[in-house]
Amino acid sequence: MLNNRISNILSQIKLCKLVVDIGSDHAQLAIQLLKQNKANHVINIEINNEPFLLTKKNLQKANLLDKTTNILSDGLKTNFTSDPIDYCVIAGMGAKNIVNIINSKNKHLKIKHFILVPNDQPDYLRYFLKKMDFKIMYEEVIFEKNRFYSLLVVNKKYGLTIMNKKDTYFGPYNLKFPTTNFQAMYQNRMNYIENNKLYAYNPCINKEYQLLREHQLWK
């Protein structure tokens, strides 16, 4: 059974030729994309040998090994394809790791869309996206195993622009189309700050708390 994150990533991928999955989570996304004929080919990239071997093993079991390329490498540093990449998925890691992967991308790789699912600090990721002139085509908050995760679909051509501190913290798409999960995520954060009185001890958290109070859209 697919987890919420993989199911939601899958739902954001339209019919396409090529998907690249960084940190392929044992090829679960690749298998579904190919079984549903949503992609012609999937390139899975792993940095560690054990998940790399499990990825290949699972694809072989599903008889899909011939529709994939599986690479043991460090993110997007190598020029592993000359074909345009319709979607590059980077999920299951911290926002800082995602930023490092995009920052170190080989200049010859042509990527149309990124689908990003950080384990933490979505505001840090949005700050980077703002600096790099990415636009947010879609964003949603996913709830899984008692944690909230942000899923962002971004590109350089179209979508919502991150304009200011409010957009960076909450996400312009979330502000325009607030969901129940989005509201719950930020309400929980505000409750945590209030219950532990963190605003009284940490100037940065105090600024965050003021932003939460000022833009408390879920009331």
Side-chain angles (χ1 to χ4, degrees), residues 47-183:
I47 194 170
N48 294 314
N49 194 54
E50 186 176 344
F52 171 73
L53 293 175
L54 280 170
T55 290
K56 292 184 71 175
K57 182 179 179 181
N58 289 340
L59 287 165
Q60 191 166 25
K61 280 183 183 177
N63 294 315
L64 293 169
L65 201 54
D66 61 331
K67 293 186 177 181
T68 66
T69 302
N70 301 284
I71 302 170
L72 189 62
S73 184
D74 186 1
L76 299 168
K77 288 183 178 179
T78 59
N79 184 22
F80 49 81
T81 180
S82 59
D83 295 328
I85 298 164
D86 295 294
Y87 297 91
C88 177
V89 178
I90 312 177
M93 62 190 77
K96 290 183 178 179
N97 283 339
I98 292 175
V99 167
N100 288 338
I101 288 170
I102 298 174
N103 260 335
S104 61
K105 180 183 80 69
N106 188 288
K107 65 180 181 180
H108 297 292
L109 292 172
K110 300 180 284 290
I111 300 173
K112 296 178 183 177
H113 302 91
F114 283 97
I115 299 179
L116 311 173
V117 190
N119 287 344
D120 57 14
Q121 295 181 286
D123 54 327
Y124 179 91
L125 179 57
R126 289 191 210 98
Y127 179 74
F128 164 77
L129 295 171
K130 179 178 183 292
K131 286 197 304 179
M132 300 298 290
D133 294 320
F134 278 98
K135 299 179 187 299
I136 298 179
M137 180 182 168
Y138 178 81
E139 182 170 357
E140 68 174 305
V141 175
I142 301 163
F143 187 69
E144 180 178 273
K145 294 181 180 178
N146 295 317
R147 286 189 63 184
F148 291 102
Y149 299 89
S150 293
L151 181 153
L152 301 90
V153 184
V154 306
N155 61 58
K156 289 276 191 174
K157 291 185 177 179
Y158 54 90
L160 297 177
T161 302
I162 303 167
M163 301 291 293
N164 49 41
K165 287 183 180 179
K166 182 173 73 169
D167 285 349
T168 301
Y169 186 73
F170 293 106
Y173 194 96
N174 287 331
L175 291 170
K176 191 171 183 179
F177 306 104
T179 63
T180 302
N181 278 345
F182 163 71
Q183 294 166 350

Side-chain angles (χ1 to χ4, degrees), residues 6 9-10 13 19 21 24 27-34 89:
I6 292 177
I9 291 169
L10 189 64
I13 296 176
V19 176
D21 190 5
S24 56
Q28 292 183 64
L29 179 63
I31 290 168
Q32 292 303 316
L33 285 170
L34 295 167
V89 178

